[in-house]
Amino acid sequence: MKTWIRLIAWTSMVLLLTGCWSKMELTERAFVIAIAIDKGEKEELELTVQIYKPVSQFGVPSVQEQKSAFINVTLTGSSIFNIIRDNSTVTGRRSQFSHTQIVLISDEIAKENLTDFLDFFYREPEVRLRTELMIAEGKARDYLSGRSLIENTLGSQIEKQLNFASEIAGNTFEATFLDLAFQLKSESESAMLPYIFVDSRFRQSLVQGIAIIKKDKMVGKLGPDEAEYLLMLADHYGYGVIEIPCEREGAVKLMDTFEILNVDTTMTPAIHGNAISVRFDVQIDGSVGELVCTSIRDMKDEQKFAEKMKRLLEEQLENVFKTLQEQKTDA
């Protein structure tokens, strides 16, 4: 009898433990998709938060197309924490950062002091350290305004652009809050962040190039043509295409292309008395993409084409070295 009483008592306790003492209702949360940080005109900071707004899948298609899947809320203040709190008074919901995909920082702020503005994100438990970071040319909030091309929100659109620009085009570098912290805590105190700007010809935002960070400031940037060679030196290059200029005169302004499938870089330092030198061994595997001004008919032509590529790559890699030396950074 005592055994049954004990069993009933333990079962009752277990059933009571299945309850919860706190709750998080979806209708009480505002899910933040993207954040843009700018310098305010009167206040120190201007923060734009892009919030996902669920859209009903039912109804007339023409009406659905007019509805936006997100809203932007812009507020100013002297601290990010206080602005976030004020944001809730506008939306009527508590901001939720667990689904934030991208944080854009204007180059104006990045050139003054970058790390001070990021302290909130490192301390906020809801913010994932794997959230992507990006430097924006001009006002960061402008990249969150308008209509997205394919994705439901502009935050998601920019994140997709970053992923493919890094993995497929090879002209930028993906960096998260965690990556930035590790880079700035390294011996060189230098870091790389992706860069976004608006192409004036087509009025479209492009994710290309790399912003160079030294200690707590942005000290320069590399365009997409230079960024891919920096990624090769840093052994972060995944996949991309290299253009090779035509040498013959009078040729059309097209170029041969070489598809890079893999890059393996080894860095070896050596000390010679009071001097130090560093040797970079860059092994590139790939295949010809298209030939416009070059003909490859036999092994001799193939070797000649490989030597041409080698000269081009060495020249471009050395140019990147010079740029980094001018900026006094070791990215």
Side-chain angles (χ1 to χ4, degrees):
M1 187 66 181
K2 291 183 178 180
T3 303
W4 281 103
I5 293 175
R6 290 176 180 175
L7 181 61
I8 293 172
W10 280 107
T11 304
S12 301
M13 291 176 63
V14 170
L15 292 175
L16 289 174
L17 289 175
T18 59
C20 59
W21 54 86
S22 64
K23 59 186 177 67
M24 183 180 70
E25 298 292 345
L26 293 178
T27 55
E28 297 175 358
R29 301 283 170 156
F31 289 93
V32 177
I33 302 299
I35 300 173
I37 306 175
D38 292 298
K39 189 170 184 178
E41 296 180 1
K42 296 181 180 180
E43 300 284 353
E44 185 68 23
L45 283 172
E46 179 184 277
L47 199 72
T48 300
V49 176
Q50 185 164 103
I51 299 171
Y52 180 71
K53 184 175 70 173
V55 179
S56 175
Q57 300 297 320
F58 303 97
V60 182
S62 60
V63 176
Q64 291 183 16
E65 292 177 359
Q66 296 176 1
K67 295 181 178 179
S68 177
F70 64 87
I71 60 170
N72 289 340
V73 178
T74 300
L75 294 173
T76 59
S78 56
S79 67
I80 292 181
F81 200 170
N82 192 47
I83 297 174
I84 293 298
R85 293 297 182 186
D86 290 342
N87 183 74
S88 299
T89 64
V90 177
T91 61
R93 296 189 179 191
R94 180 179 174 181
S95 299
Q96 179 76 21
F97 297 97
S98 58
H99 291 72
T100 304
Q101 296 174 314
I102 193 81
V103 175
L104 303 176
I105 305 170
S106 70
D107 54 359
E108 184 181 12
I109 279 186
K111 291 176 182 177
E112 292 185 359
N113 195 323
L114 178 64
T115 54
D116 287 351
F117 299 109
L118 300 181
D119 191 63
F120 166 81
F121 299 99
Y122 284 111
R123 295 179 183 275
E124 173 57 46
E126 289 181 359
V127 177
R128 298 178 181 178
L129 291 179
R130 288 295 179 185
T131 303
E132 304 280 1
L133 270 172
M134 186 180 297
I135 303 297
E137 183 180 69
K139 283 286 187 179
R141 69 179 183 187
D142 294 341
Y143 297 91
L144 299 182
S145 303
R147 299 188 64 178
S148 58
L149 296 175
I150 298 177
E151 305 300 326
N152 289 333
T153 66
L154 280 166
S156 300
Q157 182 75 45
I158 294 173
E159 187 199 25
K160 293 292 184 183
Q161 287 180 265
L162 173 60
N163 296 154
F164 283 98
S166 173
E167 297 173 7
I168 304 299
N171 54 25
T172 192
F173 175 74
E174 285 189 83
T176 64
F177 282 106
L178 187 61
D179 295 328
L180 178 63
F182 278 128
Q183 290 183 79
L184 293 180
K185 290 298 181 181
S186 65
E187 291 83 353
S188 65
E189 297 181 309
S190 299
M192 299 186 295
L193 289 178
Y195 197 79
I196 185 172
F197 63 96
V198 175
D199 190 319
S200 58
R201 298 170 300 172
F202 308 107
R203 297 181 181 179
Q204 294 179 348
S205 61
L206 298 178
V207 180
Q208 293 181 349
I210 293 176
I212 304 298
I213 312 298
K214 178 67 174 179
K215 292 185 178 179
D216 58 356
K217 297 180 182 179
M218 174 182 168
V219 296
K221 64 178 180 179
L222 298 179
D225 295 336
E226 293 179 300
E228 54 189 351
Y229 296 103
L230 173 57
L231 294 175
M232 290 182 188
L233 291 172
D235 202 24
H236 289 308
Y237 195 95
Y239 174 88
V241 175
I242 298 296
E243 293 183 328
I244 304 138
C246 296
E247 293 181 346
R248 67 171 184 259
E249 296 181 0
V252 293
K253 293 183 179 180
L254 295 176
M255 298 187 184
D256 295 334
T257 57
F258 186 81
E259 181 184 23
I260 296 180
L261 303 176
N262 182 60
V263 177
D264 185 17
T265 302
T266 304
M267 182 181 68
T268 308
I271 299 177
H272 308 279
N274 294 326
I276 185 170
S277 64
V278 181
R279 174 186 174 90
F280 282 84
D281 293 304
V282 185
Q283 179 70 38
I284 297 176
D285 299 322
S287 61
V288 173
E290 58 182 324
L291 295 177
V292 177
C293 51
T294 303
S295 297
I296 299 180
R297 299 185 178 89
D298 50 31
M299 293 296 294
K300 186 177 180 180
D301 291 339
E302 182 179 330
Q303 183 63 29
K304 186 178 179 181
F305 182 78
E307 289 295 330
K308 180 181 177 180
M309 271 204 60
K310 180 182 177 181
R311 292 193 302 270
L312 172 67
L313 290 168
E314 288 179 346
E315 180 183 351
Q316 296 298 329
L317 291 172
E318 289 177 0
N319 289 338
V320 171
F321 267 120
K322 293 177 181 178
T323 301
L324 294 177
Q325 288 172 343
E326 291 173 358
Q327 297 174 353
K328 297 182 180 181
T329 59
D330 184 10

